[in-house]
């Protein structure tokens, strides 16, 4: 007995070609999605302060009292993170930032955690967050008002900047990074 094309066990004519076309279509769509993602990431980076720029000097109020000017940190590599207690990606990323700040401190890294919590209750909200979730963050916290956020083009959180030993921007990232991604950026910044 002869088996006809399209019956059990034998693909109908053109089926293999259809599968190949479908696979190529999927690969093409994934490739376009990857290019779009990279384009969006590059566009986001383009809206941040460009590398080589020295940001304006501001006096930032420290959570524990006193003030800090970024210009006071010349000679160190600064990891400046804009975050808020109400920001889920910020909260998720913060343990890595604190851990790596402590790890690389002896190599000249200074961590500044610039809170964007606002209003009359900001310090209480930050204090509650520190006590409950991240007590090791306490010495790094400063408050970044709207003028500071505008100068650093912060319109989404988290936003991370690295400043070189001369106080110039050498890297910036909008959005959360993994611990490995943060480590790579820190090591690259320290080598400059």
């Amino acid at each position: 007995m002869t088996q006809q094309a399209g019956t059990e066990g034998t693909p109908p004519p053109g089926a293999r070609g259809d599968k190949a076309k479908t696979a190529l279509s999927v690969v093409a769509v994934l490739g376009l999605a990857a290019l779009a993602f990279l384009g969006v990431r590059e566009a986001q980076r383009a809206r941040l302060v460009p590398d080589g720029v020295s940001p304006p000097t501001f006096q930032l109020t420290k959570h524990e009292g006193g003030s800090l000017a970024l210009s006071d940190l010349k000679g160190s590599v600064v990891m400046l993170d804009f975050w808020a207690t109400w920001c889920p990606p910020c909260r998720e990323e913060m343990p890595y930032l604190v851990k790596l700040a402590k790890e690389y401190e002896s190599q000249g890294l200074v961590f500044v955690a610039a809170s964007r919590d606002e209003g009359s209750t900001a310090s209480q909200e930050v204090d509650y967050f520190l006590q409950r979730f991240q007590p090791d963050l306490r010495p790094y916290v400063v408050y970044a008002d709207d003028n500071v956020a505008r100068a650093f083009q912060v319109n989404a959180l988290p936003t991370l900047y690295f400043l070189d030993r001369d106080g110039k921007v050498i890297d910036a990232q909008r959005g959360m990074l993994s611990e490995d991604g943060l480590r790579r950026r820190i090591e690259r910044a320290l080598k400059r």
Side-chain angles (χ1 to χ4, degrees):
M1 182 146 88
T2 318
Q3 195 172 17
Q4 293 182 344
T7 60
E8 191 176 326
T10 306
R16 286 187 187 133
D18 290 345
K19 286 182 181 179
K21 286 179 186 174
T22 300
L24 284 174
S25 295
V26 168
V27 168
V29 167
L30 290 174
L32 288 173
L35 285 174
F37 174 77
L38 292 173
V40 167
R41 295 289 291 232
E42 186 59 32
Q44 286 179 335
R45 174 62 178 107
R47 289 193 304 255
L48 294 170
V49 176
D51 292 354
V53 171
S54 295
T57 299
F58 291 97
Q59 286 293 109
L60 303 168
T61 302
K62 292 178 160 185
H63 180 70
E64 294 191 319
S67 63
L68 170 74
L70 292 177
S71 59
D72 295 340
L73 302 176
K74 284 193 178 177
S76 298
V77 171
V78 177
M79 180 171 65
L80 174 63
D81 182 57
F82 291 90
W83 68 288
T85 59
W86 47 262
C87 166
C90 301
R91 293 169 67 130
E92 189 175 332
E93 181 182 54
M94 195 55 72
Y96 304 132
L97 288 164
V98 171
K99 174 187 172 189
L100 294 169
K102 288 180 176 186
E103 184 178 329
Y104 288 96
E105 192 171 50
S106 65
Q107 296 178 41
L109 181 72
V110 174
F111 178 37
V112 178
S115 172
R116 289 291 293 137
D117 289 273
E118 296 180 308
S120 60
T121 61
S123 64
Q124 290 90 358
E125 291 167 17
V126 170
D127 203 52
Y128 176 79
F129 174 80
L130 295 172
Q131 288 176 23
R132 177 134 188 209
F133 302 107
Q134 198 64 51
D136 291 343
L137 177 63
R138 185 173 297 280
Y140 306 109
V141 176
V142 298
Y143 294 94
D145 64 18
D146 290 342
N147 292 327
V148 175
R150 243 187 319 280
F152 281 94
Q153 300 174 13
V154 175
N155 56 28
L157 297 174
T159 297
L160 179 71
Y161 279 93
F162 285 93
L163 307 178
D164 68 11
R165 296 176 198 278
D166 294 323
K168 294 180 181 169
V169 173
I170 54 172
D171 193 6
Q173 165 73 34
R174 184 172 286 130
M176 189 179 102
L177 288 166
S178 67
E179 182 176 352
D180 288 339
L182 285 165
R183 184 180 301 280
R184 282 192 300 274
R185 282 195 143 105
I186 290 168
E187 288 177 356
R188 189 171 46 224
L190 287 169
K191 288 179 183 174
R192 290 182 134 191

